[in-house]
Amino acid sequence: MIDFNQYKALTFDCYGTLIDWENGILGVLKPLLRVHNTNLDDDQILELFAEFEAELEEGEYIKYREVLKRVVQKFGERFGFESTGNELNLLADSIQHWLPFPDTVEALRALKQKFQLVIISNVDDDLFAFSAKHLEVEFDQIITAEQAKSYKPSLNNFRLAIERIDLPLEQILHVAASVYHDIVTAKSLGLSTVWVNRRADQKGIFTTVAAVSQPDLEVPDLKTLAALSSPK
């Protein structure tokens, strides 16, 4: 168990941690693939998404909207179809409709009473603005890939966040669902970490590349994190 009293700021990954991006992704890609006579199960779709996204984010920086467009293209290249112009934009355009997990908003409201709340997200500013409306709390800082001109797991995104938060590292706690994108890098910089393992009872790597790291705390959801940070 970690001592929450030592922290003044909680930094959060957004998609997969606060926002249910797997259902958002599947809501677009499943019908798109069916149109092109490609039948994959949910796990296959999510694992391919993880593969394609990571590959695109490792290269020279491009906006996340373009990453998502090229992800759609890569599905076509892999399975022998070519997406139309409208289809290429479906993933990015759908982000405005992706909803928080059921426990997210209430947990953020509770945590806001005790901590600064900061977003560190692999997304464009305008795309996160859609999600911010669903999250219903005011964040003290919002750091996007568009601002950093790089994607997590790059050190650059976290360093930018640490600079803006302007607190000692020991007063910042990073909360994320992706070991690959977040936990490994945050710990390498000396940050304490919480792994929100919403898939604890399920197999597969799904929407993130496999990685191994030891977080300071593992929780199944944000409701549990909020309860632990404010014990009765």
Side-chain angles (χ1 to χ4, degrees), residues 73-90:
Q73 287 178 324
K74 283 183 173 292
F75 270 95
E77 292 167 4
R78 180 70 60 91
F79 296 102
F81 65 84
E82 185 172 352
S83 295
T84 66
N86 287 338
E87 288 174 336
L88 293 174
N89 292 313
L90 285 174

Side-chain angles (χ1 to χ4, degrees), residues 55-171:
E55 178 183 329
L56 290 162
E57 290 177 348
E58 285 175 353
E60 184 176 348
Y61 172 78
I62 55 175
K63 292 183 69 171
Y64 193 60
R65 179 176 287 275
E66 183 64 23
V67 169
L68 293 179
K69 181 182 295 187
R70 294 187 190 182
V71 164
V72 175
Q73 287 178 324
K74 283 183 173 292
F75 270 95
E77 292 167 4
R78 180 70 60 91
F79 296 102
F81 65 84
E82 185 172 352
S83 295
T84 66
N86 287 338
E87 288 174 336
L88 293 174
N89 292 313
L90 285 174
L91 266 178
D93 289 344
S94 73
I95 286 180
Q96 63 186 301
H97 305 299
W98 295 5
L99 297 176
F101 291 102
D103 64 320
T104 294
V105 173
E106 183 177 351
L108 287 176
R109 287 172 175 165
L111 293 166
K112 179 69 174 175
Q113 297 177 28
K114 186 173 181 179
F115 306 100
Q116 294 181 40
L117 302 185
V118 177
I119 289 289
I120 310 176
S121 180
N122 278 354
V123 75
D124 302 336
D125 291 344
D126 62 330
L127 296 179
F128 179 75
F130 291 123
S131 299
K133 295 176 182 178
H134 297 301
L135 296 173
E136 299 183 27
V137 297
E138 184 176 351
F139 292 94
D140 295 273
Q141 297 282 348
I142 297 168
I143 292 87
T144 65
E146 182 176 6
Q147 296 166 28
K149 295 296 185 287
S150 59
Y151 288 97
K152 298 178 295 181
S154 170
L155 294 169
N156 186 49
N157 303 59
F158 289 91
R159 286 171 173 158
L160 178 59
I162 291 165
E163 177 184 337
R164 291 190 186 171
I165 295 167
D166 196 25
L167 287 171
L169 291 179
E170 59 267 22
Q171 294 179 9

Side-chain angles (χ1 to χ4, degrees), residues 177 195-204 206 218-221:
W195 181 27
V196 183
N197 184 11
R198 294 184 182 273
R199 285 192 163 277
D201 59 347
Q202 301 178 53
K203 297 179 180 179
F206 302 101
E218 178 181 337
V219 296
D221 50 40

Side-chain angles (χ1 to χ4, degrees), residues 169-181:
L169 291 179
E170 59 267 22
Q171 294 179 9
I172 303 171
L173 179 62
H174 187 60
V175 182
S178 174
V179 175
Y180 167 75
H181 290 101

